[in-house]
Amino acid sequence: MPAYVKSDLERRMAGAVESLKHDLGGLRTGRASTALLDPVTVEVYGSHMPLNQVATVSAPEPRMLSVQVWDKSNVGPVEKAIRSAGLGLNPINDGQTLRLPIPDLTEERRKELAKLAGQYAEKARIAVRNVRRDGMDSLKTDEKKGVFGEDDRKRHETEVQKLTDATIADVDAAAAAKEKEILGK
């Protein structure tokens, strides 16, 4: 069986782009988005759990998030987790509901978020290049096994490189759009 499977490389590269888009969705741009709280994990019941497994997160207003904690005993740990997540949010305790007003972004914070978006994009580019490397290695392995000849390997390498270039262009486009959104340009 050949080690090189083009559809697997396509799937893995597309996964890197989707992961980037998910990460970028968590960056705040001054509007309330439930994705903003995706990276928050809460220590409850003796383990770390994602926030969405202990509470319902909603955006009732454009500049307000609401976190409805299911178990009253978990309100404190949820509030602590949100404060310590480094998102710049300050929860207001209202019984079993935490209200999170979204403050205006300062110019300094916008630049930090744009830089973070760039770091996320670079991680995605690295992931895509790693997939390309794996594809190239499997092509060389297949050639050594006699699955196909040198001409076929070179043709497949060209396909892998074109796929890589297209995927990195997608990564760059997603990062540029998010940076434009963050900086308000």
Side-chain angles (χ1 to χ4, degrees):
M1 172 152 170
Y4 169 73
V5 180
K6 184 179 178 184
S7 61
D8 182 52
L9 295 179
E10 291 169 341
R11 180 190 55 79
R12 290 173 57 197
M13 286 186 186
V17 174
E18 286 305 310
S19 177
L20 170 68
K21 288 180 179 177
H22 181 266
D23 289 346
L24 291 177
L27 290 180
R28 148 169 102 84
T29 59
R31 292 186 305 270
S33 167
T34 58
L36 181 60
L37 297 177
D38 283 351
V40 177
T41 58
V42 184
E43 188 173 346
V44 291
Y45 309 122
S47 65
H48 290 275
M49 302 175 77
L51 179 63
N52 63 7
Q53 291 185 5
V54 295
T56 303
V57 180
S58 62
E61 299 174 27
R63 304 199 34 86
M64 175 79 69
L65 286 173
S66 175
V67 179
Q68 178 71 41
V69 183
W70 300 329
D71 184 354
K72 192 171 188 171
S73 65
N74 292 336
V75 173
V78 168
E79 186 175 358
K80 180 181 175 188
I82 292 171
R83 285 184 200 277
S84 63
L87 299 172
L89 298 175
N90 204 5
I92 300 168
N93 192 330
D94 190 16
Q96 275 188 251
T97 303
L98 297 172
R99 290 180 291 129
L100 303 157
I102 308 295
D104 289 331
L105 290 175
T106 63
E107 187 64 27
E108 181 181 320
R109 182 70 177 143
R110 287 179 190 273
K111 288 179 181 175
E112 287 175 18
L113 289 174
K115 186 176 177 182
L116 188 58
Q119 290 172 354
Y120 287 165
E122 185 57 30
K123 285 180 186 175
R125 285 186 208 98
I126 290 169
V128 169
R129 289 192 295 265
N130 286 340
V131 172
R132 178 191 63 195
R133 185 197 62 228
D134 292 347
M136 297 295 192
D137 289 348
S138 63
L139 284 170
K140 290 174 185 168
T141 301
D142 284 349
E143 182 186 14
K144 286 179 184 172
K145 288 181 181 176
V147 175
F148 46 72
E150 183 180 353
D151 291 342
D152 287 337
R153 177 185 56 84
K154 287 185 179 184
R155 184 175 48 80
H156 288 304
E157 283 179 349
T158 303
E159 288 176 359
V160 170
Q161 187 59 48
K162 285 181 182 177
L163 178 63
T164 302
D165 293 342
T167 307
I168 286 181
D170 291 345
V171 166
D172 292 342
K178 187 63 175 188
E179 190 171 318
K180 182 179 177 184
E181 182 183 342
I182 289 170
L183 296 175
K185 294 180 181 177

